[in-house]
């Protein structure tokens, strides 16, 4: 035992793993022994348990926990266990301190150049006040650095809070004090009795106590794609980070946190340690565990903002460098020619310091031109807009897991929605029943049902529903009872309560451990069956499932007197026509209940041969379950349709039920040309004679398809892929998908945006999704669309404002410097302007709240340019006005205001009123133009809703106040002279002129201005060379190719927002095929939880129950096999796919037509 303990400790390398040394007396088993046990596999582990502990109950006894009651939940006991065995938490890497962020901001080359120039300027010898400008520049640099560091610190804090929120949302079911409760994953401790069910992601290591048909996917740890069957007599060990793919059970937790198998791997990877910091920069970029890397963005091909940002930044850096270099060259040549050629002055040694000061001044002017030429606030605006949207979307019940999903939803053109819980209330109730050959429109009194039929009904429902499904008393007096677990099963349990029977009495008599065999529900079986062994040696099996499926297995039916009679095919057809179809047409889900007896005298059946077991059934009843449509859904769907988004229902329910619900929701309208198909018919239409799916066939169906019923996970995935890959429409479709079951994973991963249900969804579905709907409500998807469109508009507003400032500032600085040998806007003033148009403007314009008017337009489409022709008209129009005003003041302002001219002033001349008026008017024009920038679609009322954005109002007013202080009290550091009231009024009047000028621009029809062009297109597929579209070739966009041709050196050196770009790491997703997507490393529950769902050909593990279906679906089965694959809802769906979840996967690749690349990745 000591050797194993030592090996375990050596393997882990965790410093605190020896804590149990002081606590061994409290428990009969040590931490080291448990870890050594969990490192064993299958028969070795079973042998070790039997030799050392007897069985799993012996381990429970040593851990002082009850297999049935669980831990007591006493806080002192929990605290003691956490002290001995550790917490279920892996400490993340420490965030960077504020000082570290300041130091990183200081590394920016542009700021370093300004610092050197300022320090050099302070050494001027000929003027006592020469140090003032240098000190002012240094002060401005300090302000810029502090603002940049604070932005990074606040964004990292916000992202860390989002990650914490995601982790808090992850809960697991345990038994404490005999009560089944859900607790946060981090609160699970050793000794807890955890209930596991299909779809769960195991948060800790444990040993199986009781299991029903339990199958685990351990590919994340072992790499083996085959599901591992877990049982007490073969392989009882359950490992953290693995997925439950089928069945249910209970386990005792034996290792948590860094001591679990996942935690040990984390420890080897350096999670929470210092090793990560010692790695070189390249490795750090690829495998960094810093928080900004945790919220990686899934590349979905529709979000091209980052690509456009790369284009704009590269374009303006290149142009800015050119303008800056030309400015410096012209100034130097002008000075040299004028001084030494025209005036013919000799070079005097004693005058050298003066000449150097002139050259430093020219250099500072050149850097100033560069600073204002580069719109480095654009990445900040994108980050702020996305982060702000994510924070606000939480209040709208959208928990965003991938940031780019916000913007993608703004371009969504199709939504494939589940029915249950999303469009309906997921509050299921049995409202009709067919029992003892009578169709009851209301639930009958128990006296109306023969006693033996009632007995079958009570026992069958009680034991053949998951024991985790139950009905609890209402939380508030007068409220509705609480449904816990599967909602369909809760409806059946509610039926027993309506019949004055208590299902809990039956479960107490037949505990879960007494169930002989359980065939859990999945998309292949389309049913659930439970086998009971009677005291006389006979067996009885109860089955429930989709009515038309189970009825095909029934050879008998209980008659009016309670006796079983022969059930012929024509009797089945009569029930379908007279009972099931009428129920379905009213929107009811129909479930059939049946049983079968196996006499004691016969040999024990071959339980693994399910095809022979679940047949020859006797029908007990058919029930109709109502799930009312959410009252707010029809209006939400109407908004989607008005916004140009097509809503499709994809469900596993009967087609008549689906059609009825779709009509109530407003998905179907009478008289419209639409299609409602079953999965079987859908497959038949899209496949050729060889059983292969053809895109041309899908293209004939999906535009009119509105309802897909009895669909399997394969059908859902095929539909989503077919819509995305389709080329029949002008714009590539952007598809959002909702899902809740484990088998929805393929569709959720394939979709541009995957929505998982926060309440009904499995962990696997949540991890495959981009956004989690915390209320499972369709209206939350509509809010996500609004926020997505708002993100796009916010970025466009900022671009319109900033590019106007860029154009004007660069032209003024360049022209003024070339004509007057001095920039009208000084270096410190430019830094203030830069602060206004970067950080402050991005905060003001990127935090505009969304409005309902966003849903009145069609989706922009994937390749819509970020700068429209209307925006280009606004940018050029306002730039023209501002240039006219500035140049008029520059060359004629001294005459208008009757003041001294500021042009051609000596080197150390005091600030002039002339240039102060130019600076003041320029800043005020930007402030009023910021109000104009709030509207980008040609709207006239630019003040609409302005008071709804407190941040905008605060920033505009605050900037105005600071501008007054700078002008009136800034003095020489800001090169400003005090202005009179009259001069201020003129400056304000000229600034307000931008608002009037904006109205004039709005009256000019954009269609008349043929010369205007759009800017900022996403990469078009046809623009990419064929060799780049070849298989297994990295997808690299044009901007990145340009950057790699040498200009990257300039990019690195002169992009002033290096630290801001670090935050845009959120856009660094899996850009290339074959690269693994990094995930969060701070939580066990997030470990390796983005599996690739692969649909592969293989032999079916369990044959189809329905032979008729097998014949009908023959073409389908050549390409998709039907092994057991669970689905969350207890509704029948067509046979489907073989799911394998692999860790060494290739990330879902985006379409070559629109890859998403981050700026830093381009570097």
């Amino acid at each position: 035992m000591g050797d194993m303990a030592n090996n375990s400790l050596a393997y882990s390398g965790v410093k605190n793993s020896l804590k149990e040394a002081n606590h061994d007396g409290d428990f009969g088993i040590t931490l080291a022994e448990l870890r050594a046990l969990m490192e064993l596999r299958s028969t070795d582990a079973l042998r070790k348990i039997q030799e050392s502990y007897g069985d799993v109950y012996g381990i429970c006894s040593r851990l002082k926990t009850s297999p049935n009651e669980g831990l007591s939940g006493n806080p002192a006991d929990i605290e003691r266990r956490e002290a001995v065995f550790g917490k279920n938490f892996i400490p993340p890497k420490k965030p960077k301190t504020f000082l570290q962020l300041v130091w990183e901001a200081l590394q920016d080359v542009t700021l370093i150049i300004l610092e050197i120039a300022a320090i050099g300027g302070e050494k001027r010898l000929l003027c006592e006040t020469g140090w003032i400008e240098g000190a002012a520049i240094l002060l401005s640099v300090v302000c810029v650095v502090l603002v940049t560091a604070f932005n990074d610190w606040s964004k990292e804090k916000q992202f860390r809070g989002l990650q914490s929120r995601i982790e808090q949302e992850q809960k697991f079911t345990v038994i404490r004090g005999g009560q089944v409760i859900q607790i946060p994953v981090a609160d699970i401790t050793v000794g807890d009795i955890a209930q596991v069910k299909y779809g769960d992601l195991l948060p800790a290591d444990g040993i199986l106590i009781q299991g029903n048909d339990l199958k685990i996917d351990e590919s994340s740890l072992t790499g083996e794609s085959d599901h591992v069957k877990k049982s007490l007599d073969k392989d009882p060990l359950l490992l953290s980070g693995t997925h439950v793919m089928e069945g249910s059970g209970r386990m005792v937790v034996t290792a948590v946190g860094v001591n679990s198998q996942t935690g040990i791997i984390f420890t080897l990877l350096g999670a929470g340690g210092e090793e990560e910091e010692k790695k070189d920069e390249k490795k750090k970029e690829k495998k960094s565990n810093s928080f900004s890397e945790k919220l990686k963005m899934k590349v979905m091909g529709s979000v091209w903002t980052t690509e456009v940002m790369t284009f704009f930044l590269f374009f303006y850096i290149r142009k800015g460098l050119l303008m800056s270099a030309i400015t410096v060259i012209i100034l130097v040549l002008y000075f040299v020619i004028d001084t030494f050629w025209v005036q013919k002055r000799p070079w005097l040694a004693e005058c050298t310091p003066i000449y150097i000061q002139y050259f430093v001044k020219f250099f500072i002017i050149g850097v100033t031109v560069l600073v204002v030429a580069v719109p480095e606030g654009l990445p900040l605006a994108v980050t702020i807009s996305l982060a702000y949207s994510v924070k606000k979307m939480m209040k709208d019940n959208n928990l965003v897991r991938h940031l780019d999903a916000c913007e993608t939803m703004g371009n969504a053109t199709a939504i494939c929605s589940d029915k249950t819980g999303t469009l309906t209330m997921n509050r299921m109730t049995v409202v009709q029943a067919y029992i003892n050959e009578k169709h009851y429109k209301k639930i009958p009194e128990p006296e109306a049902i023969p006693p033996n039929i009632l007995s079958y009904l009570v026992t069958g429902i009680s034991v053949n529903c998951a024991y985790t499904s139950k009905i609890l008393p209402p939380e508030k007096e007068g409220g509705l009872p609480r449904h816990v677990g599967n909602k369909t099963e809760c409806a059946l349990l509610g039926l027993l309560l309506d019949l004055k029977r208590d299902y809990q009495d039956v479960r107490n008599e037949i505990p879960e451990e007494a169930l002989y065999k359980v065939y859990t529900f999945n998309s292949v079986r389309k049913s659930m069956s439970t086998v009971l062994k009677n005291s006389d040696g006979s067996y009885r099996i109860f089955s429930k499932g989709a009515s038309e499926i189970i009825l095909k297995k029934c050879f008998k039916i209980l008659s009016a007197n309670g006796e079983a009679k022969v059930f012929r095919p024509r009797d089945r057809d009569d029930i379908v026509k007279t009972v099931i179809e009428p129920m379905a047409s009213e929107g009811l889900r129909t479930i059939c209940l049946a049983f079968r007896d196996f006499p004691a005298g016969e040999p024990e059946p071959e339980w693994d041969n399910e095809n022979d077991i679940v047949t020859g059934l006797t029908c007990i009843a058919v029930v109709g379950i109502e799930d009312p449509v959410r009252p707010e859904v029809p209006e939400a769907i109407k908004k989607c349709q008005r916004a140009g988004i097509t809503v499709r229902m994809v469900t596993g329910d009967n087609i008549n039920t689906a059609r009825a619900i779709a009509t109530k929701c407003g998905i179907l309208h009478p008289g419209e040309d639409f299609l409602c198909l079953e999965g079987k018919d859908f497959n038949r239409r899209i496949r050729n004679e060889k059983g292969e799916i053809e895109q041309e066939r899908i293209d004939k169906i999906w535009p009119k398809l509105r309802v897909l019923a009895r669909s399997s996970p394969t059908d859902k995935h095929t539909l989503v892929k077919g819509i995305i890959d389709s080329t029949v429409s002008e714009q590539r479709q952007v598809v959002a998908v909702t899902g809740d079951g484990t088998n929805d994973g393929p569709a959720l991963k394939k979709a541009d945006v995957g929505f998982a249900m926060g309440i009904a969804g499995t962990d696997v579905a949540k991890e495959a999704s981009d956004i989690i709907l915390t209320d499972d409500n369709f209206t939350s998807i509509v809010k996500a669309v609004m926020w997505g469109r708002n993100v796009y508009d916010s970025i466009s507003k900022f671009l319109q404002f900033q590019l106007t400032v860029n154009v004007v500032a660069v032209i003024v600085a360049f022209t003024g410097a070339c004509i007057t040998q001095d920039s009208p806007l000084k270096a410190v003033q430019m830094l203030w302007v830069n602060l206004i148009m970067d950080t402050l403007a991005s905060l003001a314009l990127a935090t505009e709240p969304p409005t309902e008017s966003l849903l009145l337009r069609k989706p922009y489409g994937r390749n819509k340019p970020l700068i429209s022709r209307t925006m280009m008209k606004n940018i050029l129009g306002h730039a023209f006005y501002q240039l006219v005003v500035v140049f008029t003041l520059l060359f004629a302002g001294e005459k208008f205001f009757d003041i001294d001219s500021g042009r051609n002033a000596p080197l150390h001349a005091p600030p002039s009123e002339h240039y102060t008026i130019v600076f003041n008017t320029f800043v005020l024009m930007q402030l009023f133009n910021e109000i104009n920038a709030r509207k980008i679609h040609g709207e006239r009322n630019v003040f609409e809703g302005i008071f709804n954005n407190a941040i905008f109002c605060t920033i505009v007013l605050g900037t105005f106040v600071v501008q007054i202080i700078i002008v009136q009290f800034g003095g020489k550091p800001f090169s400003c002279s005090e202005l009179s009231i009259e001069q201020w009024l003129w400056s304000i009047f000229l600034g307000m002129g931008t608002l009037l000028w904006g109205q004039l621009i709005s009256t000019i029809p954009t269609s008349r201005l043929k010369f205007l062009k759009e800017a900022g297109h996403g990469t078009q597929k046809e623009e990419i060379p064929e060799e780049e579209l070849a298989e297994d070739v990295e997808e690299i966009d044009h901007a990145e190719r340009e950057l790699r041709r040498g200009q990257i050196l300039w990019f690195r050196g002169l992009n002033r927002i290096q630290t801001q770009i670090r935050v845009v790491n959120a856009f660094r997703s899996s850009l290339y095929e074959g690269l693994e997507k990094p995930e969060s490393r701070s939580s066990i529950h997030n470990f390796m939880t983005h599996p690739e769902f692969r649909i592969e050909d293989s032999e079916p593990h369990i044959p189809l129950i329905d032979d008729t279906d097998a014949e009908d679906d023959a073409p389908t089965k050549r390409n998709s096999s039907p092994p057991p694959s669970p689905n969350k809802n207890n509704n029948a769906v067509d046979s489907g796919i073989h799911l394998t979840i692999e860790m060494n996967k290739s990330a879902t690749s985006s379409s070559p037509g629109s890859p998403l690349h981050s700026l830093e990745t381009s570097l």
Side-chain angles (χ1 to χ4, degrees), residues 229-241:
K229 189 169 184 178
K230 298 291 182 177
S231 61
L232 291 172
D233 56 350
K234 289 185 180 179
D235 186 0
L237 298 192
L238 303 177
L239 306 177
S240 58

Side-chain angles (χ1 to χ4, degrees), residues 349-363:
E350 57 269 23
C351 292
T352 300
I354 297 177
Y355 299 149
I356 292 176
Q357 289 182 43
Y358 269 108
F359 292 143
V360 169
K361 175 185 175 182
F362 299 152
F363 183 70

Side-chain angles (χ1 to χ4, degrees), residues 632-747:
E632 64 273 20
V633 162
E635 180 62 26
I637 289 180
K638 190 182 296 182
K639 288 181 181 178
C640 284
Q641 293 167 343
R642 191 165 57 233
I645 303 171
T646 303
V647 181
R648 295 178 175 86
M649 179 196 291
V650 183
T651 179
D653 254 347
N654 180 291
I655 190 168
N656 294 321
T657 305
R659 186 185 286 113
I661 297 294
T663 303
K664 291 179 181 178
C665 291
I667 294 175
L668 301 180
H669 298 284
E672 281 191 355
D673 184 17
F674 56 79
L675 281 177
C676 293
L677 297 177
E678 284 191 333
K680 199 161 33 177
D681 191 21
F682 174 73
N683 266 288
R684 197 157 40 233
R685 292 190 183 206
I686 64 173
R687 297 178 186 273
N688 58 21
E689 296 77 12
K690 298 179 181 178
E692 299 169 344
I693 297 174
E694 291 184 352
Q695 183 63 43
E696 291 181 3
R697 292 173 178 254
I698 297 178
D699 289 342
K700 294 178 181 178
I701 294 176
W702 73 259
K704 292 184 179 182
L705 184 65
R706 293 296 178 270
V707 175
L708 184 61
R710 285 284 183 247
S711 63
S712 69
T714 313
D715 299 333
K716 198 171 189 177
H717 178 271
T718 302
L719 175 63
V720 172
K721 183 178 184 301
I723 296 176
I724 291 176
D725 294 345
S726 176
T727 57
V728 295
S729 54
E730 291 182 8
Q731 294 285 351
R732 200 278 249 174
Q733 295 284 304
V734 180
V735 183
V737 170
T738 68
D740 55 7
T742 302
N743 283 351
D744 289 325

Side-chain angles (χ1 to χ4, degrees), residues 139-345:
L139 183 62
S140 301
V141 168
V142 169
C143 289
V144 170
V145 167
L146 290 177
V147 168
T148 302
F150 178 76
N151 281 338
D152 289 344
W153 176 81
S154 60
K155 282 176 284 192
E156 183 153 326
K157 181 183 176 183
Q158 189 173 30
F159 286 151
R160 206 172 268 273
L162 175 60
Q163 178 68 13
S164 175
R165 169 73 184 268
I166 291 174
E167 291 178 3
Q168 289 172 5
E169 291 288 328
Q170 294 168 339
K171 295 186 176 182
F172 208 77
T173 304
V174 299
I175 302 174
R176 285 189 178 177
Q179 297 294 319
V180 178
I181 60 173
Q182 282 198 328
I183 62 173
V185 166
D187 292 347
I188 293 176
T189 187
V190 171
D192 263 322
I193 305 300
Q195 288 191 343
V196 298
K197 62 182 183 304
Y198 63 86
D200 280 346
L201 174 68
L202 298 183
D205 292 352
I207 300 176
L208 190 66
I209 296 176
Q210 177 268 329
N212 298 321
D213 204 19
L214 194 62
K215 293 181 181 177
I216 307 292
D217 173 35
E218 296 183 347
S219 60
S220 57
L221 290 179
T222 65
E224 294 294 332
S225 59
D226 290 339
H227 299 166
V228 180
K229 189 169 184 178
K230 298 291 182 177
S231 61
L232 291 172
D233 56 350
K234 289 185 180 179
D235 186 0
L237 298 192
L238 303 177
L239 306 177
S240 58
T242 59
H243 297 85
V244 181
M245 300 307 294
E246 191 168 341
S248 61
R250 283 182 293 128
M251 73 172 186
V252 56
V253 176
T254 55
V256 295
V258 293
N259 300 306
S260 66
Q261 294 303 296
T262 297
I264 291 172
I265 294 175
F266 272 135
T267 304
L268 295 177
L269 293 174
E274 301 296 325
E275 296 87 344
E276 186 94 21
E277 297 176 7
K278 299 178 183 178
K279 294 183 180 179
D280 59 89
E281 191 65 26
K282 288 184 180 179
K283 270 193 175 180
K284 190 175 180 182
E285 287 203 4
K286 288 183 181 179
K287 295 188 177 181
S288 170
N289 194 33
S290 65
F291 183 77
S292 59
E293 301 253 350
K294 290 176 184 173
L295 294 177
K296 293 298 178 185
M297 308 224 309
K298 188 177 81 172
V299 175
M300 297 184 286
S302 67
V303 181
W304 32 257
T305 301
T306 306
E307 182 182 339
V308 175
M309 281 198 306
T310 307
F311 165 77
F312 276 120
L313 279 174
F314 171 68
F315 176 80
Y316 277 94
I317 285 170
R318 188 166 60 180
K319 300 301 181 187
L321 277 172
L322 183 63
M323 295 288 286
S324 176
I326 292 175
T327 303
V328 174
I329 292 171
I330 289 177
L331 287 172
V332 171
L333 289 177
Y334 190 99
F335 173 77
V336 171
I337 292 172
D338 181 63
T339 304
F340 302 110
W341 182 266
V342 177
Q343 300 182 28
K344 297 185 178 180
R345 293 181 181 178

Side-chain angles (χ1 to χ4, degrees), residues 705-997:
L705 184 65
R706 293 296 178 270
V707 175
L708 184 61
R710 285 284 183 247
S711 63
S712 69
T714 313
D715 299 333
K716 198 171 189 177
H717 178 271
T718 302
L719 175 63
V720 172
K721 183 178 184 301
I723 296 176
I724 291 176
D725 294 345
S726 176
T727 57
V728 295
S729 54
E730 291 182 8
Q731 294 285 351
R732 200 278 249 174
Q733 295 284 304
V734 180
V735 183
V737 170
T738 68
D740 55 7
T742 302
N743 283 351
D744 289 325
L748 290 172
K749 293 289 278 185
K750 180 62 182 175
D752 293 301
V753 181
F755 286 90
M757 303 297 108
I759 300 172
T762 63
D763 289 335
V764 176
K766 292 176 184 176
E767 295 298 340
S769 68
D770 304 292
I771 299 176
I772 297 174
L773 298 178
T774 56
D775 62 347
D776 290 11
N777 197 334
F778 185 84
T779 54
S780 299
I781 301 176
V782 180
K783 292 175 182 175
V785 173
M786 284 177 56
W787 278 108
R789 296 187 175 189
N790 192 61
V791 167
Y792 177 97
D793 282 3
S794 296
I795 297 169
S796 296
K797 291 171 186 176
F798 175 77
L799 263 180
Q800 177 174 300
F801 170 74
Q802 189 174 52
L803 295 185
T804 305
V805 185
N806 280 131
V807 170
V808 176
V810 170
I811 293 177
V812 168
F814 175 75
T815 308
C818 293
I819 295 177
T820 66
Q821 292 194 57
D822 190 11
S823 173
L825 301 175
K826 308 303 180 185
V828 179
Q829 295 172 352
M830 282 293 200
L831 287 173
W832 168 236
V833 171
N834 211 40
L835 189 66
I836 293 174
M837 72 181 191
D838 283 349
T839 304
L840 298 180
S842 59
L843 263 174
L845 294 171
T847 54
E848 285 277 332
T851 61
E852 290 284 340
S853 61
L854 291 168
L855 297 176
L856 299 179
R857 61 169 172 81
K858 303 298 181 185
Y860 281 136
R862 175 177 302 270
N863 297 315
K864 170 76 165 58
L866 203 55
I867 298 181
S868 64
R869 296 178 73 239
T870 302
M871 290 171 60
M872 189 67 75
K873 177 185 72 174
N874 293 337
I875 291 170
L876 297 180
H878 287 292
F880 174 78
Y881 170 82
Q882 293 183 21
L883 286 172
V884 168
V885 171
V886 169
F887 283 132
T888 301
L889 291 176
L890 181 61
F891 295 108
E894 72 276 13
K895 298 176 183 177
F896 182 81
F897 290 101
D898 192 21
I899 54 177
D900 294 332
S901 173
R903 297 190 303 277
N904 301 317
L907 184 62
H908 298 299
S912 65
E913 285 183 285
H914 183 197
Y915 273 20
T916 302
I917 291 174
V918 173
F919 164 63
N920 196 37
T921 305
F922 177 77
V923 170
L924 291 177
M925 284 193 295
Q926 307 319 317
L927 277 183
F928 286 105
N929 191 40
E930 199 165 344
I931 298 175
N932 276 327
R934 295 184 64 249
K935 304 297 178 183
I936 58 174
H937 300 300
E939 300 95 330
R940 285 192 173 276
N941 185 4
V942 294
F943 292 97
E944 182 184 1
I946 191 170
F947 295 113
N948 294 333
N949 188 357
I951 296 176
F952 182 90
C953 297
T954 303
I955 287 176
V956 171
L957 292 175
T959 306
F960 183 66
V961 171
V962 174
Q963 178 66 16
I964 294 174
I965 295 172
I966 288 175
V967 170
Q968 297 301 109
F969 308 104
K972 191 166 181 61
F974 282 92
S975 301
C976 288
S977 175
E978 289 185 39
L979 299 182
S980 65
I981 294 294
E982 182 185 357
Q983 291 166 340
W984 265 103
L985 291 175
W986 274 109
S987 297
I988 293 173
F989 172 74
L990 292 173
M992 291 182 66
T994 59
L995 296 175
L996 301 175
W997 186 255

